[in-house]
Amino acid sequence: MKSITRQKPFSEVVQLLDRFDRVYIIGCGTCATMARTGGRDEVLEMKNRLQETGKLVTGWTVIPTACDEMTEAAARENEGAIKNANCSLVMACALGVHRVNSYLNNKAVIPALDTLFIGMEDSPGNFYEACAQCGQCVLGETAGICPLTACNKGLLNGPCGGTNNGKCEVDKEKDCAFTLIYQRLKEQGRLDLMRKYHPPKNYQVVPRPRIINLG
Amino acid sequence: MKPESKLEKVLSSGHFAVTGELGPPKSADLETLKHHAEAMRHYVESYNITDNQTAIVRTSSIGVAATLIQMGLEPNVQMTVRDRNRICLQSDLLGAVSFGVRNFLCLQGDHAKFGNEPQSKNVYDLDSMQLLQAVRKIRDEGVFIGGEKLEHPLPRIFIGAVANPFADPFEYRPLRLAKKVAAGAQFVQTQCIFDLERFEKWMEKVRELGLHKKVYILGGVTPIKSIGAARYMQNNVSGMIVPDALIERLKGAQDKKKEGLNIAVETIQRLKEIEGVAGVHVMAIAWEEVVPEIVERAGLYPRPRVE
């Protein structure tokens, strides 16, 4: 599982940093490194580009996993450089941004990335969204293919009228989720499931923000 | 409970029904739409009013339905699940019933990507199947989706769905219709039929499943205005089959529009012969003025009178 991110356009980063002249940059050694959006290379590139625009970069670090409590140790270790800056630019997914925020709450924390989805990697560098975290898993009856994620309309009761040669009407490069589900259920001898009525989803299982306490 | 919808009355008395279609404008000025509706007055039982078709912002289906009712005409309000959650869909249903709408067509709706607000949020809180079932339960059991009871029962409304015999997986499509019938569909209107062979195969399977006895099937017919229009539908509209032979036929014709009408009339004549086809749904969007001619030439005029 990886939190898939995309770098914001540099112009947007510059606009977000408009009122800050001294910046500390924080990258992440896990997901953002794999997604090539906030690893060491990207952090250094960001540093150079910001310096070119006249910003003073007081320091940088790549936290092994920006979303966990190691961030606190990293924040302490780099306290001087962080204090010397008037904001932190975080090149991690939004979880990393939140984590940093919780330790540096007297200073502005600016995200440099947009968090897109929880992705799986099927070939090096190719990530796809497998789970929409809907809180009510239907995979048991959909041959392991998630229609909420793989269908552009998130339908539950079968394909819309727009399937064309197994492709989706919204994106002709993309397989129709229900054609895939149909074929796989057929192979599994479970086609009767295509006739089953799925009632409206219970969106109450995903109150926002979602909180769970294992303590 | 007796049918209140004219469409339901026509179908349940065994007549071959004709429905038309009106696309609301991208303005609140309904003069042209009213003109088209008037021209079809004696030629169709009721009019589908599209619901922000192809995800383009237009006057609402329910708003136009009010105008039709004032004109003494019968609307089939199309309701897509793209833009409204279950609270709004159920509330709009009640609102429309309150001023006399009796026909509802439940459908998924084109993805917002195709429209003029591509950045908007697609709702899809329900899918079309769930909406069908919800509307049926509101009518028959007097309960909302959440389980709460209506304060007063609903009058008899006529519930419709759409079916696409041309999208794949082909062998699943009749089963999907069965699912819609089980969910509550009393009539279905199909995607435009240009490939009659494929349609007949679909109908065969539909009859095998006995569905033609449980649901009124109205075949979708669209007159083709030009070779360009045919090509556009062939290449750009997903889930639609426009055979090359049809394009060749248009090419060979002197007067393309006339030939387009001939094809529509012949299609209806063939549909009338297919066991289990209960009527036709004529979709002549942006060519509404030809509907009377098509209906008349297909031998469907005058329309039956029902009490």
Side-chain angles (χ1 to χ4, degrees):
Chain A
M1 183 201 91
K2 290 163 194 81
S3 189
I4 305 305
T5 46
R6 179 175 57 201
Q7 282 199 0
K8 283 181 180 292
F10 189 66
S11 56
E12 189 183 337
V13 174
V14 168
Q15 180 257 313
L16 287 166
L17 295 175
D18 187 40
R19 64 182 72 193
F20 308 110
D21 54 2
R22 286 168 297 143
V23 181
Y24 185 81
I25 307 174
I26 298 172
C28 172
T30 311
C31 304
T33 293
M34 287 184 216
R36 299 174 206 157
T37 51
R40 188 176 183 275
D41 293 349
E42 293 79 33
V43 165
L44 289 173
E45 193 194 336
M46 180 65 79
K47 172 177 168 270
N48 290 337
R49 291 187 77 180
L50 288 179
Q51 283 170 337
E52 279 165 21
T53 67
K55 302 282 183 200
L56 175 73
V57 176
T58 64
W60 61 273
T61 184
V62 175
I63 300 172
T65 308
C67 61
D68 71 17
E69 68 280 2
M70 271 188 276
T71 301
E72 190 181 10
R76 247 186 283 119
E77 243 171 60
N78 301 289
E79 210 180 344
I82 292 172
K83 266 195 176 161
N84 197 17
N86 37 31
C87 79
S88 290
L89 181 69
V90 180
M91 299 178 71
C93 76
L95 298 180
V97 177
H98 283 289
R99 183 60 84 169
V100 172
N101 235 330
S102 68
Y103 298 121
L104 305 178
N105 51 17
N106 59 344
K107 284 251 168 83
V109 174
I110 307 294
L113 310 183
D114 289 318
T115 305
L116 304 179
F117 57 91
I118 300 299
M120 301 240 298
E121 194 171 15
D122 52 1
S123 59
N126 193 55
F127 299 94
Y128 70 98
E129 186 183 12
C131 175
Q133 298 160 293
C134 74
Q136 219 181 17
C137 194
V138 297
L139 289 176
E141 293 183 317
T142 57
I145 295 158
C146 174
L148 279 124
T149 314
C151 167
N152 269 305
K153 297 179 182 175
L155 307 176
L156 278 172
N157 282 292
C160 73
T163 24
N164 232 0
N165 300 319
K167 297 293 178 188
C168 172
E169 67 171 6
V170 178
D171 177 357
K172 289 187 168 55
E173 302 297 310
K174 191 183 143 311
D175 290 325
C176 162
F178 276 99
T179 303
L180 295 178
I181 291 170
Y182 182 85
Q183 285 161 352
R184 206 182 281 180
L185 283 174
K186 195 174 178 182
E187 283 165 22
Q188 297 176 353
R190 298 199 293 158
L191 261 187
D192 57 298
L193 287 171
M194 286 293 290
R195 303 179 74 160
K196 187 185 161 177
Y197 171 76
H198 294 270
K201 263 190 101 60
N202 173 10
Y203 286 100
Q204 223 175 16
V205 297
V206 284
R208 292 185 185 261
R210 309 179 208 186
I211 296 169
I212 192 162
N213 185 350
L214 298 176
Chain B
M1 217 187 274
K2 276 190 180 164
E4 291 189 21
S5 139
K6 181 175 162 196
L7 177 61
E8 183 174 7
K9 285 178 195 166
V10 166
L11 285 164
S12 63
S13 17
H15 299 295
F16 194 83
V18 183
T19 52
E21 184 156 309
L22 297 168
K26 283 181 257 185
S27 75
D29 180 347
L30 301 182
E31 285 314 307
T32 308
L33 180 137
K34 281 157 82 173
H35 171 75
H36 288 145
E38 196 54 58
M40 286 186 239
R41 180 182 285 270
H42 301 294
Y43 295 86
V44 298
E45 269 69 71
S46 58
Y47 302 73
N48 280 37
I49 317 290
T50 53
D51 176 12
N52 296 307
Q53 196 178 13
T54 58
I56 288 171
V57 182
R58 298 166 186 279
T59 294
S60 69
S61 179
I62 292 175
V64 171
T67 297
L68 283 201
I69 287 175
Q70 283 167 0
M71 294 170 72
L73 299 172
E74 182 168 297
N76 304 339
V77 164
Q78 297 198 180
M79 294 184 98
T80 75
V81 292
R82 178 194 57 226
D83 309 321
R84 289 171 279 181
N85 71 5
R86 66 191 81 173
I87 298 172
C88 193
L89 285 165
Q90 295 182 100
S91 150
D92 278 353
L93 173 80
L94 300 186
V97 171
S98 75
F99 64 80
V101 177
R102 293 295 179 263
N103 305 319
F104 292 89
L105 191 82
C106 306
L107 59 169
Q108 227 99 246
D110 297 309
H111 195 276
K113 185 198 161 184
F114 297 108
N116 61 359
E117 295 290 356
Q119 296 189 357
S120 71
K121 185 172 184 181
N122 287 278
V123 178
Y124 297 118
D125 178 29
L126 302 180
D127 62 25
S128 60
M129 201 72 71
Q130 294 161 347
L131 177 62
L132 272 172
Q133 173 133 321
V135 174
R136 178 173 64 77
K137 282 194 168 176
I138 287 174
R139 184 195 61 191
D140 296 349
E141 297 168 30
V143 287
F144 294 113
I145 296 173
E148 205 186 353
K149 280 197 156 54
L150 275 74
E151 289 167 3
H152 294 284
L154 219 61
R156 173 144 177 125
I157 55 172
F158 195 39
I159 308 172
V162 292
N164 188 352
F166 308 104
D168 48 20
F170 179 62
E171 72 254 42
Y172 175 63
R173 293 291 161 177
L175 298 174
R176 180 159 173 77
L177 176 62
K179 206 167 156 175
K180 287 196 172 179
V181 173
Q186 296 172 284
F187 72 100
V188 290
Q189 293 169 323
T190 75
Q191 174 68 289
C192 314
I193 302 164
F194 299 113
D195 184 347
L196 269 154
E197 223 171 282
R198 175 94 168 226
F199 180 75
E200 276 171 354
K201 273 190 203 148
W202 180 78
M203 277 303 299
E204 242 169 64
K205 186 73 188 167
V206 165
R207 285 193 302 270
E208 252 175 66
L209 295 167
L211 297 173
H212 61 308
K213 298 203 168 128
K214 295 182 183 162
V215 65
Y216 299 110
I217 297 165
L218 278 65
V221 175
T222 287
I224 299 182
K225 219 173 181 177
S226 64
I227 294 174
R231 282 241 184 272
Y232 179 82
M233 287 192 277
Q234 190 179 43
N235 300 324
N236 300 307
V237 182
S238 286
M240 197 181 263
I241 299 179
V242 181
D244 288 331
L246 190 144
I247 290 176
E248 289 307 314
R249 180 172 162 187
L250 278 176
K251 271 187 191 165
Q254 283 272 313
D255 185 338
K256 314 291 179 203
K257 286 187 178 178
K258 200 174 160 203
E259 195 65 359
L261 292 184
N262 290 341
I263 293 168
V265 170
E266 286 167 32
T267 305
I268 296 178
Q269 281 162 345
R270 277 186 66 181
L271 290 172
K272 279 162 75 181
E273 301 305 314
I274 300 173
E275 188 194 347
V277 175
V280 282
H281 175 50
V282 184
M283 292 168 272
I285 295 290
W287 205 15
E288 290 84 353
E289 62 273 19
V290 297
V291 173
E293 184 189 335
I294 293 173
V295 173
E296 208 163 343
R297 282 180 55 200
L300 295 171
Y301 183 81
R303 301 301 311 137
R305 281 169 183 274
V306 284
E307 279 311 305

